[in-house]
Amino acid sequence: MKHHVQPFEKPIILVHGGAGSFSRRNFKEYRSCLKDAVTNGYEALLSGSAIEGVVEAVKMMEDCGHMNAGIGSVLNLHGYVEMDAGIMDGKTMRAAGVALIRKIRNPILLAKAIMDHTDHVLLAGDFAEKLGEKLGLETYDFAPQEDKKRKYNELYSRLLKGDIKHLRRISELVQKYKDIAYGTVGAVALDREGRLAAATSTGGYWLKLPGRIGDTPIVGAGFYANKNAAASSTGIGEYILIAGLCRKAVEFVEAGLNATSAAVKSIEYMSAFFGENTAGLIIVDFRGYVGAAFNTKGMGRAMLSKSHKEPVIAIFRDYSLV
Ligand code: GLY
């Protein structure tokens, strides 16, 4: 991938719609979700802070139905949705993650509510949802539609035949059955005042065990922001958790790299330790450098800044963003 190693003028927003194999994807709708997310996120950023920008962008992707987050979330082993999300404000260093969400339509709004209204950093399950309802968040009936039921039945019957060895060597699993691959959505932003924020949301991956929590709601793994940089990751949560991927990428910036190089180095680390087809990452730093790197076939991504006339959107490596 060709890298534009130059800083952009703030405000800046960068979004991803997940790294993966893109084996069967409706690109038109997927690209349109990326465009709407980055455009609306940028609007929010123009009138508000980095936090408002990333929340709006991720909410759009949770609502679009063509990404693995919010209403587009995949089904777990028992055939229902369990979603995770996380958010961090790089100025205040406040953060929150929510896990195993089944009813709240926008887990990213719940994560923000937990950050704003509680003393906790991570909340999972029923009470988190009840609190969300009390705080006025919308619920949604996540009962799967026909297309999702069909896909679940197909994957489940492969599992019964021994075709999918769940929990054994996840990367082999994903290499072999590309259509169970991950999605996840995320956004990072640098606002006019120089504040940074990151947000990430996911349905996890097909046939994950009920109760499984991935990297997405965990500070430093699925998301991280401080005064130097903000990062959001996508990929196989178990590996990203072990790597502490987003914190690692921000540390590369703290060590003197720009965000473009920090993204590349972080994904090189993932490939070296966990193999190819494991992760993707977006990052923006305080100087306005941006990074987007992945070791999968593609990663939907889009950006907009004061330096751009219109959103730049890319999915595969043959198009340079960044
Ligand atoms: N990265 C999303 C997940 O593994 O849940």
Side-chain angles (χ1 to χ4, degrees):
M1 185 160 51
K2 192 170 140 239
H3 299 292
H4 294 299
V5 186
Q6 83 203 25
F8 296 101
E9 212 178 327
K10 53 185 194 279
I12 300 168
I13 186 160
L14 186 59
V15 307
H16 72 76
S21 63
F22 293 87
S23 51
R24 279 186 246 158
R25 173 78 80 171
N26 186 333
F27 289 110
K28 195 164 163 243
E29 281 155 350
Y30 183 75
R31 286 180 72 90
S32 143
C33 288
L34 286 170
K35 187 174 177 188
D36 291 348
V38 83
T39 309
N40 285 273
Y42 190 69
E43 285 294 316
L45 199 51
L46 284 177
S47 56
S49 70
I51 275 288
E52 277 141 13
V54 295
V55 166
E56 181 60 25
V58 169
K59 180 178 174 295
M60 294 294 298
M61 291 188 280
E62 288 176 338
D63 281 340
C64 90
H66 297 283
M67 289 173 172
N68 178 16
I71 66 171
S73 293
V74 301
L75 307 180
N76 68 11
L77 188 64
H78 287 178
Y80 58 85
V81 161
E82 280 184 328
M83 301 168 290
D84 301 336
I87 187 162
M88 184 158 187
D89 182 335
K91 182 176 162 66
T92 61
M93 296 291 281
R94 295 263 310 134
V98 290
L100 309 177
I101 300 306
R102 299 180 58 183
K103 282 193 297 203
I104 296 293
R105 180 182 172 112
N106 293 108
I108 198 63
L109 296 183
L110 184 56
K112 183 165 186 303
I114 301 299
M115 181 172 82
D116 290 344
H117 299 289
T118 81
D119 300 306
H120 302 315
V121 172
L122 184 60
L123 208 58
D126 278 357
F127 185 78
E129 310 234 40
K130 285 193 184 111
L131 187 59
E133 284 184 64
K134 276 202 189 310
L135 292 170
L137 297 185
E138 192 182 334
T139 56
Y140 182 79
D141 179 3
F142 282 92
Q145 308 286 316
E146 277 315 307
D147 56 337
K148 264 195 204 157
K149 276 194 205 156
R150 261 198 307 279
K151 178 140 180 177
Y152 172 80
N153 288 334
E154 182 203 325
L155 290 169
Y156 193 74
S157 63
R158 281 201 216 157
L159 184 75
L160 292 182
K161 281 190 219 136
D163 257 4
I164 298 179
K165 308 239 178 311
H166 217 64
L167 291 186
R168 229 189 81 212
R169 308 300 303 271
I170 299 164
S171 63
E172 281 172 19
L173 185 81
V174 172
Q175 307 255 11
K176 191 167 173 199
Y177 298 106
K178 298 195 182 317
D179 52 354
I180 72 156
Y182 25 90
T184 304
V185 304
V188 294
L190 174 67
D191 68 22
R192 285 169 306 174
E193 316 294 328
R195 293 171 296 200
L196 290 146
T200 311
S201 182
T202 192
Y205 52 76
W206 284 98
L207 304 187
K208 65 182 182 176
L209 291 181
R212 174 266 189 190
I213 299 172
D215 59 305
T216 298
I218 308 297
V219 188
F223 64 99
Y224 194 77
N226 63 16
K227 64 180 176 16
N228 298 306
S232 167
S233 62
T234 160
I236 300 174
E238 283 70 10
Y239 296 146
I240 296 172
L241 275 166
I242 291 167
L245 182 59
C246 285
R247 177 70 195 141
K248 179 173 284 295
V250 171
E251 276 170 6
F252 282 135
V253 171
E254 287 164 352
L257 296 188
N258 62 50
T260 316
S261 306
V264 172
K265 221 170 145 66
S266 305
I267 295 303
E268 281 173 359
Y269 175 91
M270 292 302 286
S271 301
F273 283 91
F274 305 107
E276 296 296 314
N277 295 311
T278 50
L281 175 103
I282 56 172
I283 178 167
V284 58
D285 71 30
F286 67 101
R287 287 172 297 179
Y289 287 90
V290 300
F294 49 96
N295 62 15
T296 51
K297 187 170 171 198
M299 178 176 78
R301 57 210 188 276
M303 84 166 292
L304 198 48
S305 77
K306 199 174 172 193
S307 311
H308 293 82
K309 285 196 177 63
E310 53 185 41
V312 186
I313 302 170
I315 298 177
F316 298 106
R317 277 164 214 285
D318 52 2
Y319 191 106
S320 70
L321 195 175
V322 289

